[in-house]
Amino acid sequence: MDVQSASNKLSSPRQNPGAVQMRIKSITASCDRLSQTKSMVLTDPGHPAKAISSHRRNHSQHNLADITAGEKPDIEKCEYLNKAKIAEGGKKLRKNWASTWVVLDGKKLLFYKESKQQALTNLKTGCKPESVDLYGAQIEWTTEKSSRKNVFQITTGSGSEFLLQSEKHASIFSWHDAIKKAIDSLGTDGRLLHSNIRKSSSTEHVNRCGESSPAVKETKPEHRRSLIFKLTYSTSDSGDRNGVKNRLKKFISRRPSMKTLQEKGIIRDQVFGCHLATLCEREETTIPNFVRQCLKNVEERGLEADGIYRVSGNLATIQKLRFAVDQEEMLNLDDSQWEDIHVVTGALKMFFRELPEPLFPFCFFELFVEAIKTQDYQQRVQSIKKLVSQLPKPNHDTMKVLFRHLQKIIAKASENLMSTQGISIVFGPTLLWPQFDTGNMAVHMVYQNQIVELILIEYSEIFGPTDD
């Protein structure tokens, strides 16, 4: 409808004359705005010019409008895929899978939160796709980065990493081949285009062939830290910057060793997470002091506690006790803050779980498993007894005092409801595990429990008569 016909239509007797003039003026202004749009792209002789709004927000959404309205970007593929971004600029990110509308237009990948039809309706809200430049990128299939099937990884030239996945085997292979072909096809022209794109504004122009205006300097992508460093120090501060480097080098060269810090008491030796032999050697004993304290405290006030060692204590309080053990020389488990006996038992189990090598050393694991498989019961007991006697002194003595304590727990089974089988289920995975996970976790757990249960039942035969 042109301006004249609109004017005739609005000038009927029923219309308010003032309103008619206002509507005619509005339509005329709208036509003027459309006639004033000019292209942001210098055209080649063989390519017709396309009008693009000079408004900054409209220009930032030009790619999305082209894709949704069909204004001819070089779209090769578009489909819903599962996407996870695992790194940005070399920095690892938490992997979060999300279904994403993915568009391949030859030189880059575009990721939309909505489909292209939904994105068109959300232009006014500022819907903006995540763009990935394929120049200098690498693509490869991966089975290590995710347990899902049909997963390939894209690593960009800037250090960002993406995972794309689909349950459709044919579809994901088609995407892999298309993206690989796009990456391989980007030669020197792609490099020029990558390095000469500038921030868009209403007065800037970018040559379609990738040649920028001579007045604009070529920008090079730089790491974020280097940019911060350049912002902090100007070129006139180069002398001061060298001084800072020299002072840092001197500080690092003069920094005290770990042994010096330990001798001065600045850093204390840890109890949790320390090798059993190292801890016993430091404490000049064959049984860690913390283990002795816990066993004594439980026997004094927790033998009849319901579900002892099975019921979990408050984790925050257990961590607080762990910190106290690692930092303080004197530990009083009778203090009111450790009143809950399950906190003490929880800390003891945590101590054994965090040993770098379990109470049953790694080199003995398969030997104990083979021994427990022996069909003849007496021969099985003798095999276990022989292996226990061959353990290192700290492991043997700690095991002996721990299993004697657990026998006292079982003796009160009518009050604490903890049977031999219940104790073995708790302490089986806590005291022994294989050095390498072979995928037989369920089978190993059965043998772990059986080994602990047999030692509890045949304690006197394996360790000899007790003193008490």
Side-chain angles (χ1 to χ4, degrees):
M1 182 187 295
D2 57 13
V3 177
Q4 186 62 35
S5 60
S7 174
N8 293 337
K9 200 169 194 177
L10 292 171
S11 59
S12 62
R14 296 180 184 180
Q15 300 289 341
N16 185 346
V20 170
Q21 294 297 328
M22 185 175 297
R23 291 180 183 178
I24 294 173
K25 187 174 182 180
S26 173
I27 294 174
T28 305
S30 174
C31 292
D32 290 341
R33 284 197 302 274
L34 292 173
S35 66
Q36 291 174 2
T37 59
K38 52 187 178 181
S39 175
M40 297 291 291
V41 180
L42 299 181
T43 60
D44 288 338
H47 296 79
K50 293 192 293 184
I52 303 174
S53 173
S54 62
H55 193 281
R56 185 178 296 272
R57 188 183 73 176
N58 290 339
H59 181 64
S60 67
Q61 296 167 349
H62 176 54
N63 289 336
L64 180 58
D66 281 348
I67 291 170
T68 55
E71 290 189 10
K72 203 175 175 180
D74 188 16
I75 299 178
E76 296 184 0
K77 291 182 73 65
C78 51
E79 187 181 352
Y80 274 113
L81 296 176
N82 295 320
K83 185 206 78 169
K85 190 172 185 179
I86 60 175
E88 183 173 6
K91 183 180 180 181
K92 298 298 181 182
L93 303 175
R94 169 176 280 183
K95 179 172 60 182
N96 289 318
W97 287 101
S99 180
T100 307
W101 181 257
V102 184
V103 175
L104 172 63
D105 71 353
K107 299 181 178 68
K108 57 189 174 182
L109 283 174
L110 301 175
F111 298 129
Y112 295 91
K113 293 182 179 179
E114 304 91 354
S115 67
K116 56 183 181 180
Q117 293 82 4
Q118 292 171 326
L120 179 61
T121 61
N122 292 337
L123 281 173
K124 294 182 180 181
T125 63
C127 174
K128 198 171 182 180
E130 182 179 4
S131 178
V132 177
D133 192 349
L134 294 179
Y135 173 74
Q138 296 179 352
I139 183 172
E140 59 182 350
W141 293 102
T142 178
T143 56
E144 299 176 355
K145 301 295 179 68
S146 173
S147 59
R148 297 190 178 195
K149 62 181 181 179
N150 304 333
V151 180
F152 63 81
Q153 176 178 333
I154 300 174
T155 305
T156 67
S158 61
S160 296
E161 298 177 9
F162 298 85
L163 300 179
L164 291 180
Q165 186 265 350
S166 175
E167 297 298 330
K168 301 176 183 178
H169 184 81
S171 175
I172 198 66
F173 268 79
S174 173
W175 272 95
H176 178 275
D177 294 342
I179 296 174
K180 188 176 188 306
K181 182 179 178 181
I183 293 173
D184 294 340
S185 67
L186 289 175
T188 55
D189 291 340
R191 184 173 185 177
L192 287 172
L193 181 63
H194 175 75
S195 61
N196 287 304
I197 292 179
R198 297 169 288 143
K199 292 183 178 179
S200 61
S201 68
S202 59
T203 59
E204 290 181 329
H205 302 275
V206 179
N207 192 304
R208 188 186 298 268
C209 297
E211 297 175 359
S212 61
S213 173
V216 181
K217 294 183 179 180
E218 180 177 327
T219 59
K220 296 181 179 179
E222 297 184 6
H223 196 277
R224 182 180 176 186
R225 292 185 179 178
S226 63
L227 290 174
I228 296 174
F229 188 79
K230 286 190 174 183
L231 288 173
T232 308
Y233 298 99
S234 63
T235 55
S236 61
D237 296 331
S238 60
D240 182 58
R241 186 164 67 247
N242 291 333
V244 171
K245 287 183 178 179
N246 292 332
R247 289 197 295 272
L248 285 173
K249 288 179 180 178
K250 290 179 180 179
F251 172 77
I252 293 173
S253 63
R254 293 197 308 265
R255 63 180 180 177
S257 63
M258 181 67 71
K259 183 178 180 180
T260 303
L261 294 174
Q262 290 175 346
E263 290 175 352
K264 292 183 177 180
I266 298 175
I267 295 180
R268 285 184 49 80
D269 294 321
Q270 302 294 300
V271 174
F272 283 76
C274 182
H275 282 274
L276 186 63
T278 304
L279 180 60
C280 291
E281 182 181 357
R282 190 172 71 222
E283 296 179 348
E284 298 180 352
T285 181
T286 57
I287 303 170
N289 293 330
F290 176 67
V291 174
R292 288 184 181 275
Q293 286 181 279
C294 289
L295 299 183
K296 181 182 177 182
N297 191 263
V298 173
E299 291 175 6
E300 288 177 350
R301 60 189 185 96
L303 288 179
E304 298 178 359
D306 186 12
I308 192 70
Y309 286 111
R310 176 174 53 81
V311 176
S312 300
N314 183 272
L315 182 58
T317 310
I318 293 174
Q319 292 289 3
K320 185 178 179 181
L321 176 56
R322 170 187 177 169
F323 180 80
V325 172
D326 283 336
Q327 298 298 321
E328 299 177 7
E329 294 183 2
M330 299 300 296
L331 177 67
N332 181 17
L333 291 177
D334 292 325
D335 192 285
S336 59
Q337 57 184 331
W338 323 125
E339 181 180 2
D340 183 4
I341 194 63
H342 299 296
V343 169
V344 178
T345 57
L348 180 62
K349 289 186 293 183
M350 181 181 288
F351 170 83
F352 285 112
R353 284 196 302 266
E354 295 198 2
L355 287 173
E357 188 171 17
L359 188 62
F360 290 73
F362 290 132
C363 59
F364 283 82
F365 181 81
E366 293 297 337
L367 298 175
F368 273 101
V369 171
E370 291 301 321
I372 203 65
K373 292 179 181 179
T374 305
Q375 295 297 324
D376 184 74
Y377 183 79
Q378 291 300 325
Q379 188 178 352
R380 189 188 316 164
V381 174
Q382 293 304 316
S383 299
I384 296 290
K385 178 180 179 180
K386 182 178 179 181
L387 290 174
V388 169
S389 65
Q390 295 174 354
L391 292 174
K393 185 68 171 174
N395 298 72
H396 178 276
D397 291 357
T398 303
M399 189 182 299
K400 181 178 180 180
V401 71
L402 174 63
F403 277 84
R404 178 60 186 141
H405 165 77
L406 295 178
Q407 277 197 321
K408 296 178 181 179
I409 298 290
I410 297 170
K412 297 284 186 178
S414 58
E415 289 86 5
N416 57 41
L417 304 180
M418 291 300 293
S419 63
T420 303
Q421 187 178 12
I423 289 291
S424 64
I425 291 174
V426 172
F427 278 92
T430 302
L431 301 181
L432 71 158
W433 60 85
Q435 184 174 7
F436 303 105
D437 185 10
T438 58
N440 297 326
M441 184 179 297
V443 177
H444 285 160
M445 187 172 294
V446 173
Y447 293 139
Q448 290 163 341
N449 299 348
Q450 289 178 354
I451 293 168
V452 171
E453 185 174 3
L454 180 66
I455 296 176
L456 285 171
I457 295 173
E458 301 292 340
Y459 176 87
S460 299
E461 176 64 25
I462 293 172
F463 290 103
T466 58
D467 298 332
D468 49 354

